[in-house]
Amino acid sequence: MMNKSHNLGLPFSILLIIIALGSCAINSEKEDHFEPIFKAEINGESFDGTDFEESAKASMTQQGDYHYLTIAAYQYNKNLFPYNEYIGISLIYQQSKNSFPTKKDTIKVNEYYDRYPGGKYSESDGDAKISWYEAFDENGYITVEMKELENGEIVVYGTFEMKVAVQSRADQYSQRVNQDTLSITNGEYRLMLEDRR
């Protein structure tokens, strides 16, 4: 009787170990799998910059003394391909801050070179630019948080809102004719940082 009980206990213990290991493997897969996010609304219309692989990016470069962070995404229209829309925000990153303005600014990197941080929107047909808008709103902002993963990679995430005004537009090709200003609201992003410094 004692032997039977002992024999039943061993397979049961092995089964529990297998289930536990399987659960660890599933959790590990979930942690390793990263889903990028870049979403917003443009004048109330949905913008999803993560429909296509590699269409949303976050990158950090060194520009003179500045750390220049750009967060951007393209949304492709399946019915009008290769027509696409772009939302991008560039900023001078400082670790001590987590909220940055999106209004266009000019930063002198050196005597030969300027950078233009701020928010942007554009429409393109493939590589041909159809329209170009720039952020003008004093209340526009982007929040920036960073988290280091166990593998050493950095995830950058946050929210954003801004208003942009048209700088140029080819009306016969634009899907935004008569929309001289765009309100970009409910923006959120979560992207792997490409550090090029």
Side-chain angles (χ1 to χ4, degrees):
M1 184 92 164
M2 204 169 194
N3 280 344
K4 268 188 176 177
S5 170
H6 179 71
N7 288 342
L8 286 174
L10 185 59
F12 184 70
S13 298
I14 292 171
L15 180 63
L16 285 178
I17 291 169
I18 290 169
I19 290 170
L21 289 174
S23 174
C24 289
I26 289 168
N27 287 338
S28 174
E29 280 179 25
K30 283 182 183 172
E31 288 173 12
D32 291 342
H33 183 69
F34 180 81
E35 288 287 337
I37 296 169
F38 191 109
K39 294 183 178 183
E41 291 180 3
I42 303 173
N43 286 353
E45 300 170 12
S46 177
F47 177 99
D48 188 347
T50 45
D51 268 354
F52 286 76
E53 194 174 340
E54 298 296 312
S55 64
K57 294 195 176 206
S59 62
M60 182 95 73
T61 57
Q62 183 84 34
Q63 305 285 330
D65 294 331
Y66 302 109
H67 299 279
Y68 202 72
L69 175 63
T70 300
I71 295 156
Y74 292 89
Q75 174 179 263
Y76 290 88
N77 185 319
K78 295 168 189 171
N79 299 323
L80 299 173
F81 193 83
Y83 173 87
N84 63 80
E85 297 176 277
Y86 166 89
I87 294 175
I89 302 168
S90 299
L91 55 100
I92 305 300
Y93 179 70
Q94 298 169 25
Q95 277 188 317
S96 58
K97 291 177 66 176
N98 68 355
S99 185
F100 301 85
T102 56
K103 183 180 177 186
K104 185 185 171 192
D105 197 1
T106 304
I107 300 293
K108 190 163 230 20
V109 175
N110 57 44
E111 61 181 302
Y112 308 105
Y113 189 53
D114 294 339
R115 288 298 293 201
Y116 304 95
K120 300 159 189 69
Y121 166 88
S122 67
E123 297 173 279
S124 298
D125 186 10
D127 292 335
K129 194 77 72 192
I130 296 169
S131 71
W132 181 259
Y133 292 68
E134 293 176 351
F136 67 88
D137 182 17
E138 294 281 355
N139 296 317
Y141 70 89
I142 181 170
T143 64
V144 179
E145 301 285 348
M146 295 199 188
K147 177 183 177 184
E148 186 172 356
L149 302 179
E150 288 179 11
N151 63 7
E153 291 186 293
I154 304 290
V155 174
V156 58
Y157 60 95
T159 59
F160 60 91
E161 290 196 357
M162 61 183 172
K163 289 183 180 172
V164 294
V166 68
Q167 306 300 304
S168 66
R169 181 174 59 220
D171 286 0
Q172 67 270 35
Y173 304 112
S174 174
Q175 301 297 305
R176 299 225 174 251
V177 176
N178 301 323
Q179 295 182 36
D180 292 344
T181 61
L182 305 176
S183 289
I184 299 174
T185 56
N186 297 318
E188 73 171 293
Y189 68 94
R190 184 173 183 267
L191 303 167
M192 208 67 80
L193 180 66
E194 185 181 341
D195 196 340
R196 301 180 191 165
R197 291 173 293 177

